[in-house]
Amino acid sequence: MREALFDFLVEYCANDIASIFLRDKKLFVTNKAECYSYEVENNVVVKSVEDKFACDHEEADTRIIYHLSKLEASRIAMVKASDTDILVIILGNIHKLEPLEIFLSIYSRI
């Protein structure tokens, strides 16, 4: 069931209606070991395979760090997480992630 949801999301984000929430942002979505990016060009959503972000890490926390480590220098990244584990992992690896500007949003699952 969960796999079907992610398969659906990978295809749904490629729909041009997604341009409403994408605007000038670039969205990265991972599904299994694959990574895709979505961005709007001339009001059309363009889906691309992002080979450099392909990853088979099972845990999302380590997958996030892997993806951050692959970003180009001087980029800005926003990470949203539901627990503090990711904060601790990012702080433990921050020396590998410079000179990124990382914004982290921790929210509660109440």
Side-chain angles (χ1 to χ4, degrees):
M1 181 71 159
R2 185 176 172 165
E3 272 188 33
L5 173 62
F6 281 101
D7 291 340
F8 168 77
L9 288 173
V10 163
E11 292 310 313
Y12 179 79
C13 288
N15 187 321
D16 290 340
I17 195 74
S19 66
I20 294 168
F21 66 85
L22 282 175
R23 296 185 194 130
D24 61 342
K25 308 285 187 287
K26 188 170 189 178
L27 173 68
F28 291 87
V29 176
T30 59
N31 187 26
K32 302 170 188 123
E34 297 293 320
C35 183
Y36 306 95
S37 68
Y38 304 86
E39 58 188 328
V40 179
E41 294 178 8
N42 299 320
N43 294 324
V44 175
V45 175
V46 177
K47 174 184 171 186
S48 303
V49 175
E50 297 287 342
D51 289 328
K52 80 175 185 178
F53 293 108
C55 174
D56 62 355
H57 291 209
E58 194 168 316
E59 293 296 321
D61 295 350
T62 56
R63 191 179 282 233
I64 290 169
I65 298 301
Y66 176 80
H67 289 153
L68 289 171
S69 74
K70 296 296 182 181
L71 290 175
E72 300 163 4
S74 302
R75 299 293 294 205
I76 298 173
M78 168 60 100
V79 177
K80 294 183 179 183
S82 61
D83 58 41
T84 55
D85 291 359
I86 190 64
L87 170 63
V88 173
I89 294 171
I90 287 175
L91 289 175
N93 289 280
I94 199 73
H95 63 286
K96 300 174 189 173
L97 303 175
E98 295 181 279
L100 291 177
E101 189 171 348
I102 302 171
F103 292 88
L104 180 61
S105 174
I106 306 290
Y107 58 90
S108 176
R109 290 187 269 176
I110 296 177

